[in-house]
Amino acid sequence: MIHIAIDGPSGAGKSTIARLVAARLGFMYIDTGALYRSVGVAALKRGFDPGDEKKVEQMLPTIRVTLGFVDGIQHVYVNDEDVSVQIRLPEASMAASAVSALPAVRRFLFGLQQDLAASHNCVMDGRDIGTVVLPDAEVKIFLTASPEVRAQRRYRELIEKGNEVNFDTLLKEIIQRDYNDSHRAVAPLKKADDAVEIDSSEMTLDEVTEQILAIVHQKIGEKA
Ligand code: DC
């Protein structure tokens, strides 16, 4: 199996780019953030703080998280309920960030991510794919962009969807989430030693995609 790990902070364009790269290679795209989001949403639904370690730990044996693909699009299920829409709500982002700092949650999702990778050529995006989940991935990319550019992209996306948003609030949230993700004790966001860093601040989606495909072809040549 061939594995491509794409890690980086929120809003760097990982999921869009990972999806494009996977489509071009005919690989499966696995969005691991959706898994953390689904655990966060499960905690919110049960009415407790997603940062409450004890409660979240007690909840884990009662939930089953699965991924499915409908017309090639990833859906995520908690106990067979499709939560793909709920996990994109703003409160789900913060809940995901909170549960992702808990070692029990990371252990819970680790096996699922490894099982998926064991049976598929895939492009997997997240925070610790190249460092923890798939340390032997053939290609590792660390995708970044400045906080301002990431907030600007998110702002445009939300405005286009008709949401009322404040740019400064978004920027603050992004900076806070970066801090949480890179300072937590377990599997913090950090570039793997053998990852190629790409700063997408001044690049188009196509440019980033082409650069990654060039790296893939250079590293694995004929196999991809
Ligand atoms: O990529 P995203 O915004 O959907 O991720 C949601 C949260 O989950 C984010 O705060 C970081 C966390 N996460 C993680 O800790 N490890 C991953 N492999 C993917 C996401």
Side-chain angles (χ1 to χ4, degrees):
M1 290 298 150
I2 297 172
H3 300 131
I4 300 170
I6 303 185
D7 291 301
S10 54
K14 288 188 306 290
S15 56
T16 310
I17 284 159
R19 193 175 294 116
L20 289 170
V21 170
R24 289 277 293 274
L25 296 170
F27 284 16
M28 181 189 263
Y29 162 54
I30 301 169
D31 166 9
T32 64
L35 303 175
Y36 289 91
R37 286 169 179 270
S38 70
V39 175
V41 162
L44 291 177
K45 275 204 177 159
R46 282 158 182 77
F48 54 79
D49 172 6
D52 185 330
E53 186 160 14
K54 209 161 153 230
K55 291 231 169 82
V56 174
E57 273 189 34
Q58 284 168 349
M59 173 186 78
L60 293 176
T62 72
I63 61 170
R64 201 167 53 91
V65 176
T66 45
L67 287 185
F69 292 85
V70 181
D71 298 331
I73 299 189
Q74 179 184 291
H75 283 239
V76 57
Y77 304 85
V78 176
N79 296 339
D80 297 327
E81 183 194 354
D82 189 343
V83 293
S84 311
V85 173
Q86 295 159 47
I87 61 167
R88 298 298 157 201
L89 298 174
E91 58 266 31
S93 302
M94 281 299 170
S97 183
V99 295
S100 71
L102 306 176
V105 172
R106 304 208 73 89
R107 276 197 303 274
F108 178 74
L109 295 176
F110 180 77
L112 171 58
Q113 295 169 86
Q114 287 217 320
D115 289 350
L116 286 164
S119 47
H120 299 92
N121 287 329
C122 63
V123 180
M124 197 178 267
D125 81 355
R127 302 296 189 287
D128 62 338
I129 308 305
T131 50
V132 177
V133 179
L134 303 175
D136 297 327
E138 280 74 7
V139 177
K140 298 181 187 179
I141 305 290
F142 194 75
L143 188 64
T144 62
S146 71
E148 289 73 18
V149 166
R150 288 185 282 134
Q152 191 61 49
R153 289 177 183 162
R154 183 88 186 115
Y155 180 78
R156 249 184 271 134
E157 214 175 87
L158 289 169
I159 292 286
E160 272 166 24
K161 284 189 192 154
N163 294 290
E164 249 182 57
V165 279
N166 176 286
F167 177 80
D168 292 333
T169 309
L170 278 182
L171 181 59
K172 259 192 225 142
E173 273 173 16
I174 284 187
I175 292 171
Q176 180 65 47
R177 267 220 284 164
D178 283 358
Y179 185 87
N180 292 351
D181 293 347
S182 51
H183 286 80
R184 65 181 176 219
V186 278
L189 170 66
K190 81 171 172 29
K191 177 181 164 298
D193 290 339
D194 51 350
V196 178
E197 182 161 353
I198 300 176
D199 182 336
S200 73
S201 302
E202 308 286 331
M203 295 170 80
T204 64
L205 287 177
D206 277 348
E207 286 168 345
V208 180
T209 305
E210 292 305 329
Q211 185 172 344
I212 294 177
L213 287 169
I215 294 167
V216 171
H217 286 122
Q218 187 198 350
K219 293 222 171 180
I220 53 185
E222 300 300 295
K223 282 202 276 179

